[in-house]
Amino acid sequence: MPFGDQNNHTKTAATKQTAPSPVIIKNVHPYLLHSGHLILPTFGVLAALGLMAALTLSLRTAAIVGLDPDKLWNAGLFTLLTAFALSRILLIATNLHNFLVYPILLLTVPSLTPTGILLTLLAALIYLRIRHLPLLDILDAWSPCAALIWAFLALGHFAEGSDAGLPTTLPWGIRIPPDRIHLHPVPLYAAIAAAILTLILLQQLRNRRQPGDTLFVALAAAGTLQFLLTFFRQPYPYTSSATYVLLDPIQWIALGMIVVAAVILLLPRKLVTHAV
């Protein structure tokens, strides 16, 4: 073998021996702290921060619409605690055997379902009725707060790598280990959209002409955004039903939000001024 070829062969062999193995870039951070049995999920921390930020913001929005900030704070806190309690009760009721075997593990699972949301809304309406609080004014004041919570929850989904998007070749695509495929960062899209919507709703709240105007904008905008974001998400896995084949469940909910917004716009506001 010529001397030059021998050197090339040696360099090639050395390169093969020292070449680094492929590294999977981790774009997700599901835990802020994970030490033994001590686990601090990123989603839970961001969700808690979002709820506290929304409650704090409600003090400002209450003043804008002429409500007592303390009453709005109490109503918001009651609604959040009710949502938490009802979601856990429904989770235990539907998974009683698993709860008896793994109670702590089951309670750490996110459990806010459409049924839980509906029951929470019913409980909130009853609370507002008992307290004689104006429904549309309350919902107007809560609209920017809800958008802010959406932003924090979306960041939580982004951190833990849930709400996966479709494959993309765009440079800001993310990888969710162990896959190496770049995906649309749908939660990040949602977080940016929700943050912008929060600012828009705050400005609209200051300039509203009648109760319900801000709620209308919030429902119409959030429904439209969720409907459009679904085109970047991975399809709903349970497509046996013709309903889910036609549209994703989130898109049906988004359309429902838009319909409710249209009803609020068309109905005389006096009919729903107070909780009924």
Side-chain angles (χ1 to χ4, degrees), residues 33-275:
L33 178 63
H34 189 183
S35 177
H37 294 289
L38 180 60
I39 298 176
L40 187 61
T42 306
F43 181 87
V45 171
L46 288 172
L49 289 175
L51 295 177
M52 292 308 301
L55 285 174
T56 303
L57 180 61
S58 71
L59 298 176
R60 174 59 181 163
T61 58
I64 294 176
V65 299
L67 294 172
D68 185 342
D70 290 337
K71 290 183 178 180
L72 189 62
W73 172 283
N74 293 335
L77 187 60
F78 170 83
T79 302
L80 294 177
L81 293 177
T82 301
F84 178 81
L86 288 175
S87 65
R88 290 298 182 265
I89 292 173
L90 290 174
L91 179 66
I92 294 172
T94 55
N95 300 273
L96 183 58
H97 175 73
N98 293 331
F99 175 73
L100 295 176
V101 179
Y102 307 104
I104 303 300
L105 181 60
L106 184 66
L107 291 178
T108 60
V109 176
S111 58
L112 192 59
T113 62
T115 303
I117 293 174
L118 289 175
L119 292 176
T120 300
L121 291 176
L122 179 61
L125 288 175
I126 294 174
Y127 177 91
L128 295 178
R129 178 63 177 175
I130 294 174
R131 295 291 180 177
H132 303 288
L133 295 173
L135 178 61
L136 290 181
D137 285 332
I138 291 285
L139 295 179
D140 279 346
W142 275 349
S143 294
C145 307
L148 184 60
I149 293 175
W150 180 22
F152 275 90
L153 293 180
L155 287 176
H157 286 302
F158 177 70
E160 70 178 4
S162 58
D163 196 8
L166 294 172
T168 180
T169 57
L170 295 173
W172 55 78
I174 63 172
R175 296 175 181 174
I176 301 178
D179 293 333
R180 297 182 60 87
I181 300 175
H182 286 77
L183 304 174
H184 277 288
V186 176
L188 188 58
Y189 298 161
I192 295 173
I196 295 174
L197 180 60
T198 302
L199 297 176
I200 293 174
L201 292 175
L202 281 173
Q203 183 62 34
Q204 203 285 331
L205 188 64
R206 297 186 182 96
N207 301 320
R208 68 172 190 156
R209 296 182 178 179
Q210 58 181 335
D213 284 352
T214 306
L215 176 62
F216 161 73
V217 175
L219 289 173
T224 302
L225 288 171
Q226 284 285 24
F227 189 91
L228 296 177
L229 284 171
T230 306
F231 290 108
F232 297 96
R233 288 188 175 101
Q234 293 186 12
Y236 187 68
Y238 308 104
T239 56
S240 57
S241 172
T243 302
Y244 292 159
V245 172
L246 181 61
L247 287 176
D248 189 272
I250 296 179
Q251 289 181 315
W252 285 114
I253 296 174
L255 289 178
M257 295 170 66
I258 295 173
V259 170
V260 173
V263 171
I264 293 173
L265 180 65
L266 297 176
L267 281 181
R269 305 299 168 84
K270 293 183 179 179
L271 295 179
V272 287
T273 299
H274 288 78

